[in-house]
Amino acid sequence: LDAIVVRRRGAHATVEEWARHAGVPVVNGMSDRDHPCQVLTDLFTIYERRERPFAAKVAFVGDSVAMAQGYLGLSILCGLEVRLALPAGVSVDAELLKKAQAKANVVVVDDPAAAVAGADVVATAAWSKPVAKGFCVDDALLARASPDVTVLHPLPAQRGQEITDDVLEGPRSVAFQQAQNRLPVQQALLETIFQAS
């Protein structure tokens, strides 16, 4: 093998163990700690849609710690302004949050309306439990965002739960373009890794 992609909903330690023993590059396809391939695709999709992608104010609304921490990673790498709306009982790694806040304007709140206020990009993902009240990305929530807001969802969506049909299928959503971007972004990631190896 030239590389291994490990996608595991469980412990990030398993991904790290693969990396220690593999002898070839190991890519975290997703773990309980991070979802770097997805947020890289999200960033590329934002880049395609917005004139100044790195100046975008991004709000993530959901309970996925992996996605939330992936967005913190983007803040650390490129200074992206990120607002995380996480329900009660869901938290991100304190050290990672501190690093992100040292690089960019990053806040964590439990109020989706506050996170979305003035946001250029609103992202959500499927929930691991029933969606908390007020966390569904619908027209009422998006009314607080920028008028030209871009909506992201990695799919598959639990329609009517974390996102409504009219938003997912509407003109503000780029979820299907985002899904289409997965393959070329991951190909570019592997090519970059191989060139660096």
Side-chain angles (χ1 to χ4, degrees), residues 84-104:
L84 304 176
L86 306 176
V90 176
S91 61
V92 293
D93 180 81
E95 191 60 34
L96 185 63
L97 177 60
K98 186 177 175 183
K99 286 180 185 176
Q101 288 174 330
K103 294 280 187 173

Side-chain angles (χ1 to χ4, degrees), residues 26-45:
V26 172
V27 176
N28 179 3
M30 183 181 76
S31 69
D32 61 352
R33 186 178 129 195
D34 201 355
H35 202 348
C37 292
Q38 182 60 58
V39 296
L40 187 61
T41 300
D42 293 1
L43 182 62
F44 180 73
T45 306

Side-chain angles (χ1 to χ4, degrees), residues 18-112:
W18 273 90
R20 278 194 301 276
H21 301 292
V24 294
V26 172
V27 176
N28 179 3
M30 183 181 76
S31 69
D32 61 352
R33 186 178 129 195
D34 201 355
H35 202 348
C37 292
Q38 182 60 58
V39 296
L40 187 61
T41 300
D42 293 1
L43 182 62
F44 180 73
T45 306
I46 294 167
Y47 178 81
E48 287 184 312
R49 298 292 293 210
R50 304 203 67 85
E51 190 172 314
R52 296 175 57 228
F54 298 113
K57 297 172 185 148
V58 179
F60 174 75
V61 178
D63 76 340
S64 171
V65 172
M67 287 294 294
Q69 293 189 162
Y71 278 112
L72 293 180
L74 288 181
S75 292
I76 293 167
L77 288 173
C78 57
L80 199 63
E81 179 176 337
V82 172
R83 304 165 188 170
L84 304 176
L86 306 176
V90 176
S91 61
V92 293
D93 180 81
E95 191 60 34
L96 185 63
L97 177 60
K98 186 177 175 183
K99 286 180 185 176
Q101 288 174 330
K103 294 280 187 173
N105 184 8
V106 175
V107 296
V108 179
V109 296
D110 61 4
D111 178 7

Side-chain angles (χ1 to χ4, degrees), residues 122-145:
V122 174
T124 190
W127 281 54
S128 61
K129 57 191 176 192
V131 177
K133 185 175 180 183
F135 278 79
C136 180
V137 177
D138 57 15
D139 285 326
L141 187 61
L142 290 181
R144 298 176 171 275

